Amino acid sequence: QSVVTQPPSASGAPGQRVTLSCSGSSSNIGSNTVSWYQQFPETAPKLLIHSNNQRPSGVPDRFSGSKSGTSASLAISGLQSKDEADYYCAAWDDSLNGPVFGGGTKLTVL
Amino acid sequence: EVQLVESGGGLVQPGGSLRLSCAASGFTFSSYWMHWVRQIPGKGLVWVSRINADERRTGYADSVKGRFTISRDNAKNTLYLQMNSLRAEDTAVYYCARDLFGAASMDVWGQGTTVTVSS
């Protein structure tokens, strides 16, 4: 069981905005930046957001990240069928002295 | 093209050893922290180990501490994971990943290599 918690599933209709949540503690999200990853079945994860709200080159601006205290969120606007994937948050954990991943949220586009 | 390619996975008996390699190309390998992350099929991502750019500092998840050793050869642009005393619960897909800032921001991932520990 991960020390960073994500709801196991979320869903939304095409065109809608969905928000995925990520809850941690003072040793990880509370004191370090958050990254978000997108993963399709049988493929490697892809970095979507780093430094809480920064998008790497090539990531659409439909994806946005935010952080407040020991929680973080990933918002996806204009939901598309191709967004159906697993999403993971991650942050450095000062107690672990390494990164910790959330358990992941499976996003279904209805 | 920036790329990471893992190799070395396979089937090994419990208690056995395996060494994974991750060949980097298309970027200055020696400038980046590197990680190993594993994933049991159908389950979530789990961080395994990391090594700083200067090869001097390493870190391990509690579940592999004392059994796994991460290393790198910056002259060969290659990352390694020596896995000893393997257990069934080490069965997973193992990814190597480049870290942008030395935090949890892994921007380049390999395709993964599968390790199966079974008798």
Side-chain angles (χ1 to χ4, degrees), chain A residues 35 37 39 43-45 47 50-51 88 90-92 96-99 101 103, chain B residues 33 35 37 39 43-45 47 50 95 100-101 103-107 109-110:
Chain A
S35 298
Y37 299 87
Q39 187 182 33
T43 65
L47 181 65
H50 67 81
S51 306
Y88 296 89
W92 190 267
L96 179 65
N97 198 21
F101 289 92
Chain B
W33 288 34
H35 299 272
V37 176
Q39 184 174 36
K43 302 295 184 182
L45 301 169
W47 173 74
R50 56 98 174 155
Y95 296 100
L100 262 181
F101 305 117
S105 50
M106 303 172 203
D107 70 325
W109 293 69

Side-chain angles (χ1 to χ4, degrees), chain A:
Chain A
Q1 188 174 359
S2 178
V3 298
V4 173
T5 304
Q6 297 181 253
S9 63
S11 62
Q16 277 189 337
R17 174 185 168 96
V18 296
T19 301
L20 309 183
S21 64
C22 173
S23 178
S25 67
S26 58
S27 66
N28 43 66
I29 294 176
S31 53
N32 296 291
T33 61
V34 177
S35 298
W36 288 89
Y37 299 87
Q38 178 189 56
Q39 187 182 33
F40 297 106
E42 310 296 324
T43 65
K46 171 189 173 183
L47 181 65
L48 276 183
I49 297 287
H50 67 81
S51 306
N52 301 328
N53 55 19
Q54 300 299 301
R55 286 185 307 275
S57 173
V59 174
D61 60 7
R62 300 188 297 108
F63 295 90
S64 61
S66 64
K67 186 185 105 168
S68 178
T70 59
S71 295
S73 297
L74 173 71
I76 309 172
S77 60
L79 199 60
Q80 301 178 9
S81 58
K82 65 181 181 181
D83 298 330
E84 190 163 287
D86 294 323
Y87 293 84
Y88 296 89
C89 61
W92 190 267
D93 189 287
D94 295 331
S95 299
L96 179 65
N97 198 21
V100 60
F101 289 92
T105 295
K106 182 176 182 60
L107 176 63
T108 300
V109 181
L110 303 171

